[in-house]
Amino acid sequence: MRNRPLLCLLAALSAIAQTQAQDKNSESAPKPLKVFVLAGQSNMVGAGIVGWNEERNGGQGSLEYLVKNEDTASRFAHLVDDEGEWVTREDVWISYFDRSGGLQPGYGGNRNQIGPELGFGHVVGEHFDDQVLLVKVAWGGKSLAVDFRPPSAGGEVGPFYSQLIEQVHTVLDSLDDRFADYEDRGHEFVGFGWHQGWNDRINQGFNDAYEENMAHFIRDIRAEFEVPELPFVIAETGMTGPDEKHPRALSLMNAQAAVAEREEFRGNVAFVGTRNFWRPKEESPSSQGYHWNSNAETYYRIGDGMGQAMLGLLRERR
């Protein structure tokens, strides 16, 4: 029995060593992905032009112009490396239907276009130490009233609501196939970004129902993914700029803002005003006003604004 104190000491030291080993293994194990879904219609798809085309207003409004023009180069310098090549963020993955990889320009409607994902991804990528995943799901020409109609709104569930849900689950169920470095680390659903509204804006009935339909959409998305207060950011359908006066356009944007002001959504839903991101056609690659004149600065700033708003919501949850 004279050795009992020694045995107790050895047992205690063994327990400490085991705990330290477990802590070390826990620290080295990959942490769950921080998952954000970005959804909507054509302006979430994105028409911001990447490459400088001299025939399009001397390249103005393209992403390449932004990183080379002396007036904007400092603001967008982080998008290129020392050789002037586009940076690929390996700490931010993106999945957009059949395209996936590290975040870089080219995840818009085609490989020469961007949407809000680029600005959004850079904001959240700088914020998180953990690996980030953007799941982008968007189609052109889709309304909330019909195409994305959520279940709790009543009536027939929108086919693109169902496809949105299916696509997100498909991505999350196949992460090891899409990303070689996934390592079965699991995932955490962190936030949802929404940029849509044109097809409801041009229809009075859809317009009138927008606020209520958007509220149903948020509730149903949260229920589907079992995150009761999932942070949700709505980017304004402001693609005609601060001088817009059409009653339907104004009422649609007011409805989007009003959703975030509802008591149930205070602190977990944010509205991002976008009208000041409008750039005229004379400073842009096209005159497609409904696609923000294809201006890459506009799309980047929308994504950046959505990302900053998302971080604001996440800070409120602490």
Side-chain angles (χ1 to χ4, degrees):
M1 298 298 292
R2 285 177 296 176
N3 291 329
R4 189 178 186 88
L6 177 61
L7 292 174
C8 290
L9 176 60
L10 291 173
L13 292 173
S14 176
I16 291 171
Q18 184 175 4
T19 299
Q20 289 176 336
Q22 290 173 343
D23 290 343
K24 185 175 181 180
N25 290 336
S26 177
E27 289 175 1
S28 61
K31 294 182 179 179
L33 299 180
K34 301 292 187 183
V35 177
F36 297 89
V37 172
L38 300 177
Q41 61 178 121
S42 62
N43 284 315
M44 180 58 82
V45 172
I49 298 298
V50 174
W52 184 318
N53 184 337
E54 197 65 29
E55 295 180 0
R56 293 187 170 196
N57 283 328
Q60 291 185 86
S62 67
L63 199 64
E64 188 177 359
Y65 184 91
L66 295 173
V67 301
K68 292 180 176 179
N69 180 270
E70 62 180 13
D71 293 332
T72 54
S74 61
R75 170 71 177 81
F76 295 94
H78 60 287
L79 298 179
V80 291
D81 60 22
D82 292 340
E83 283 72 47
E85 299 296 324
W86 298 117
V87 167
T88 298
R89 290 199 71 129
E90 297 298 348
D91 60 335
V92 180
W93 293 337
I94 181 168
S95 177
Y96 178 38
F97 295 118
D98 61 342
R99 286 183 258 171
S100 60
L103 183 67
Q104 61 179 313
Y107 280 94
N110 60 46
R111 296 185 187 278
N112 189 41
Q113 295 177 329
I114 65 167
E117 74 287 334
L118 188 62
F120 184 94
H122 274 273
V123 170
V124 296
E126 288 301 308
H127 177 76
F128 289 105
D129 293 329
D130 303 330
Q131 186 73 38
V132 170
L133 170 64
L134 310 181
V135 182
K136 178 171 164 175
V137 188
W139 302 268
K142 301 295 179 280
S143 69
L144 178 60
V146 176
D147 301 302
F148 283 112
R149 189 173 188 82
S152 64
E156 185 176 351
V157 175
F160 289 88
Y161 177 88
S162 300
Q163 288 185 48
L164 165 61
I165 298 301
E166 180 182 357
Q167 179 63 19
V168 174
H169 282 301
T170 295
V171 172
L172 296 180
D173 290 341
S174 59
L175 291 171
D176 52 348
D177 295 327
R178 294 169 187 267
F179 304 101
D181 295 330
Y182 171 57
E183 299 177 331
D184 294 321
R185 67 182 73 194
H187 63 269
E188 175 190 0
F189 202 155
V190 180
F192 196 106
W194 179 254
H195 189 33
Q196 180 276 342
W198 179 266
N199 278 54
D200 297 87
R201 170 172 157 162
I202 60 177
N203 181 298
Q204 188 62 57
F206 294 0
N207 198 311
D208 294 342
Y210 196 90
E211 181 185 343
E212 197 61 46
N213 285 336
M214 192 80 255
H216 283 297
F217 185 89
I218 294 169
R219 297 186 200 109
D220 289 349
I221 289 291
R222 289 171 168 177
E224 173 66 32
F225 295 102
E226 300 180 340
V227 185
E229 292 191 351
L230 178 71
F232 204 103
V233 173
I234 303 167
E236 182 180 40
T237 304
M239 73 283 290
T240 40
D243 296 329
E244 178 61 70
K245 294 181 175 58
H246 195 288
R248 271 202 315 271
L250 296 176
S251 65
L252 191 284
M253 291 184 279
N254 288 339
Q256 292 177 321
V259 176
E261 293 300 318
R262 289 189 170 207
E263 188 60 36
E264 67 177 301
F265 296 145
R266 287 185 183 273
N268 56 70
V269 175
F271 169 76
V272 177
T274 64
R275 279 182 268 184
N276 288 333
F277 302 148
W278 168 262
R279 298 293 179 265
K281 63 183 181 180
E282 294 78 14
E283 301 174 11
S284 303
S286 83
S287 58
Q288 291 183 342
Y290 49 87
H291 285 153
W292 294 103
N293 292 331
S294 304
N295 195 293
E297 179 185 8
T298 297
Y299 281 98
Y300 190 91
R301 289 185 181 277
I302 291 170
D304 181 272
M306 294 177 73
Q308 298 295 347
M310 182 63 71
L311 296 187
L313 294 178
L314 294 174
R315 283 190 286 268
E316 288 198 33
R317 294 187 60 169
R318 292 177 182 171

